[in-house]
Amino acid sequence: MSFFYHFGDYINMLAATFSRPEKRAIYFKRIMEEANAIGVDSLGIVAIISVFVGMVTTINTSYQLVSAFLPRKVIGEVVGTSVILELSPTICCLVLAGKVGSNIATELGSMRVSEQIDAMDAMGVNSKGYLIFPKIIAAIVVIPLLILISMGLSISAGIFIGKITGIVSPAQFIDGTRATFQTYTFTFALIKTFTFAFLIASVSSYQGYFMSGGSIEVGKASTRAVVYSCVLILLSDYLLAQLFL
């Protein structure tokens, strides 16, 4: 019963978030602020993870698959497909769930504790729309851009490590990546990313907005936001794979 209670509150929150819009100028400013907090501040960690994912995947693929009977371009085929289809969208979004999700839950939870949200509601402001809507929109715009950057960095890192270690030449790697590239695979990866971004922003907002208590509960709400977001990312990854692949 607790699940249905929270799920109902979550749906009601989303309904209120996308209704009763305030002035567009206010929303635009808030979306830009959230885009900076979500995207620009997360670019460093996404870049570091992407580079190491590309290098490690290339080395592991070379160790496991390449033999005298397989061409070197197989490395590029496997790495390129793995990065686009699974590694960049899922791993980076799991990391962003920890960074972005905890920040969102902590911010809204602190506003709840300090009664800032109650003050907005008392003044007739749609607090859900003002606080949560910009976070969701910014997330579903900025996080896919981060994932595109991650894909590029991972493949570039794979090319780089393949060249300096002598595992595979850049031409062979790129040839293999091109050979297996499919528009549908790339489109599916973007669909996953948009879904993950929405889940991170909305679930974390729910945990922060509806928390109650003091500073200790803010920390607990932040932890729940990260855990639930990660679980839902993995669950939706499986369900989307079943539906689209």
Side-chain angles (χ1 to χ4, degrees):
M1 295 300 294
S2 177
F3 168 78
F4 294 105
Y5 173 81
H6 288 293
F7 183 72
D9 275 349
Y10 175 75
I11 297 300
N12 289 334
M13 181 199 75
L14 292 178
T17 297
F18 291 95
S19 65
R20 294 177 55 198
E22 305 294 337
K23 294 181 180 179
R24 292 184 179 180
I26 296 176
Y27 272 128
F28 181 78
K29 180 180 178 181
R30 292 276 298 129
I31 291 172
M32 291 299 102
E33 292 173 351
E34 296 296 340
N36 180 73
I38 294 173
V40 178
D41 293 348
S42 301
L43 184 58
I45 185 65
V46 169
I48 293 172
I49 292 170
S50 302
V51 168
F52 280 97
V53 164
M55 292 192 297
V56 172
T57 305
T58 300
I59 294 174
N60 287 343
T61 303
S62 172
Y63 173 74
Q64 296 176 10
L65 296 182
V66 174
S67 69
F69 302 100
L70 290 175
R72 292 283 180 173
K73 73 175 185 177
V74 171
I75 298 175
E77 295 176 0
V78 174
V79 173
T81 302
S82 299
V83 164
I84 293 174
L85 188 61
E86 187 65 28
L87 295 180
S88 282
T90 304
I91 292 179
C92 287
C93 283
L94 287 173
V95 173
L96 290 173
K99 183 183 183 301
V100 175
S102 62
N103 287 343
I104 291 175
T106 300
E107 176 188 343
L108 294 178
S110 299
M111 294 183 70
R112 174 65 72 183
V113 170
S114 60
E115 299 183 350
Q116 296 180 53
I117 295 178
D118 295 331
M120 288 183 181
D121 292 333
M123 291 186 295
V125 176
N126 179 12
S127 60
K128 295 184 181 70
Y130 181 78
L131 296 174
I132 299 175
F133 179 82
K135 298 182 187 300
I136 294 178
I137 298 301
I140 62 178
V141 171
V142 173
I143 290 180
L145 294 178
L146 289 175
I147 301 306
L148 290 176
I149 294 173
S150 172
M151 292 176 183
L153 288 175
S154 293
I155 294 175
S156 299
I159 296 172
F160 172 76
I161 199 67
K163 179 180 180 180
I164 66 173
T165 58
I167 293 174
V168 58
S169 69
Q172 290 172 321
F173 192 104
I174 294 172
D175 185 42
T177 303
R178 288 177 174 174
T180 56
F181 178 81
Q182 296 180 359
T183 304
Y184 182 78
T185 300
F186 181 75
T187 303
F188 174 65
L190 290 181
I191 293 173
K192 286 172 53 173
T193 303
F194 282 114
T195 303
F196 297 163
F198 177 80
L199 290 173
I200 291 170
S202 60
V203 171
S204 301
S205 296
Y206 174 81
Q207 293 298 326
Y209 188 90
F210 287 100
M211 62 80 55
S212 59
S215 57
I216 295 177
E217 281 69 25
V218 173
K220 292 180 179 179
S222 177
T223 301
R224 288 196 301 270
V226 175
V227 172
Y228 294 161
S229 295
C230 289
V231 171
L232 289 173
I233 285 173
L234 295 175
L235 178 61
S236 61
D237 188 21
Y238 168 75
L239 294 177
L240 289 172
Q242 286 282 5
L243 289 173
F244 292 97
L245 296 182

